[in-house]
Amino acid sequence: MIATRARVKGGPVLGFDNSPAGSFADQLAAINAWWADAGVDHLFDDEPQALLREQVAAPDAMPKAADTSAQAEAELVPSFDPSTLPTSLEAFATWWKDPATELPLAHGTRVAARGPAEAPIMVLVPMPEAGDSERLLASAQGRLIANILRAMGLAEEQAYFASALPCPTTMPDWPGLARVGLSAITERHVALAAPQRVLVLGDGMGQMLGLAQGQGQLADIPALAARAPEHLLAHPRQRARLWRALLDWMPSQ
């Protein structure tokens, strides 16, 4: 058999047939150089090591996940019985704005809905825009929606605008909010407003209400679920997709 040999960077000539070439120290140096060239610069072990054992706090010093979750959910629980929700749109508007009403995540200025009852369309968004105070959707998101309505042949004053949350909120937990009653509040609001159709803009909020993107029903009213207003502003293709969906959903004039 012919012994084939090759030179490895950093070491002497080694035989591929496992024949010794050079001293053991030379061979070890050549092997280490080969692994270094391959990008291996740390020692590895097949068994997991508890490297952070001494840095982990004692069990009694760490909050229990269940306790933390219960505490966070308790902060969201509104103090109302769903059966006692307002039964008229006027009463709902007063109840919504009343500081004594413990709505979920009502941690700032509450922004009321606007528009006429029994409108041709209700636009439901997750929350007011940042900076809204006296008027819901008073900035860029509102202008976008007004332009969409105008293209549909509807004046802004003909639509009913509402939000699921009373105040702007960062990354709301929609499943948690559903568990503490926000879905019941929102569905009651839709039922009292009694629009002909509901445009639901917001993935998480739509899922909270049991809607996937596309056509559906909300409080027995035809609904169309689409992306949130801030997403529509940032992505022209999503605006085009919404427009095509609206053309299929809205009755022909």
Side-chain angles (χ1 to χ4, degrees):
M1 177 182 296
I2 299 175
T4 305
R5 298 178 182 274
R7 182 172 299 277
V8 180
K9 180 180 178 182
V13 174
L14 297 177
F16 290 125
D17 58 355
N18 294 324
S19 60
S23 68
F24 175 77
D26 291 337
Q27 295 179 49
L28 181 60
I31 292 171
N32 288 337
W34 187 91
W35 281 113
D37 284 347
V40 179
D41 54 1
H42 290 77
L43 294 177
F44 294 89
D45 197 328
D46 291 336
E47 297 297 326
Q49 303 295 317
L51 302 177
L52 302 178
R53 179 175 296 163
E54 296 182 359
Q55 301 179 24
V56 176
D60 55 355
M62 297 178 64
K64 294 181 180 179
D67 294 344
T68 304
S69 176
Q71 179 181 358
E73 189 164 303
E75 294 175 356
L76 294 174
V77 175
S79 58
F80 73 90
D81 180 347
S83 65
T84 64
L85 285 170
T87 56
S88 71
L89 189 59
E90 294 77 10
F92 187 94
T94 301
W95 177 85
W96 178 271
K97 289 282 289 183
D98 188 352
T101 303
E102 296 186 15
L103 294 171
L105 298 179
H107 46 62
T109 301
R110 304 181 186 198
V111 186
R114 60 181 174 94
E118 301 181 0
I121 190 168
M122 174 179 180
V123 180
L124 179 64
V125 297
M127 65 192 75
E129 290 188 75
D132 283 355
S133 56
E134 297 300 321
R135 179 181 172 85
L136 180 65
L137 297 172
S139 297
Q141 295 179 19
R143 290 192 294 272
L144 171 65
I145 295 170
N147 289 337
I148 292 173
L149 294 176
R150 190 175 301 111
M152 295 165 55
L154 293 171
E156 184 176 357
E157 294 74 20
Q158 292 180 270
Y160 186 86
F161 295 86
S163 63
L165 289 171
C167 311
T169 301
T170 302
M171 298 180 66
D173 173 18
W174 293 109
L177 290 166
R179 290 193 296 271
V180 299
L182 185 62
S183 55
I185 295 173
T186 306
E187 290 185 32
R188 175 62 61 89
H189 193 175
V190 173
L192 294 175
Q196 296 177 21
R197 293 172 180 269
V198 187
L199 176 59
V200 180
L201 299 179
D203 294 340
M205 178 188 63
Q207 292 167 9
M208 178 190 76
L209 297 170
L211 294 172
Q213 281 199 30
Q215 299 185 29
Q217 293 276 326
L218 181 58
D220 296 326
I221 297 171
L224 178 67
R227 307 305 298 270
E230 64 272 16
H231 192 91
L232 294 172
L233 279 170
H235 299 280
R237 289 184 179 179
Q238 293 297 333
R239 297 198 294 273
R241 181 176 298 177
L242 172 60
W243 179 247
R244 290 192 296 270
L246 286 169
L247 293 177
D248 292 337
W249 179 61
M250 291 293 291
S252 57
Q253 299 297 329

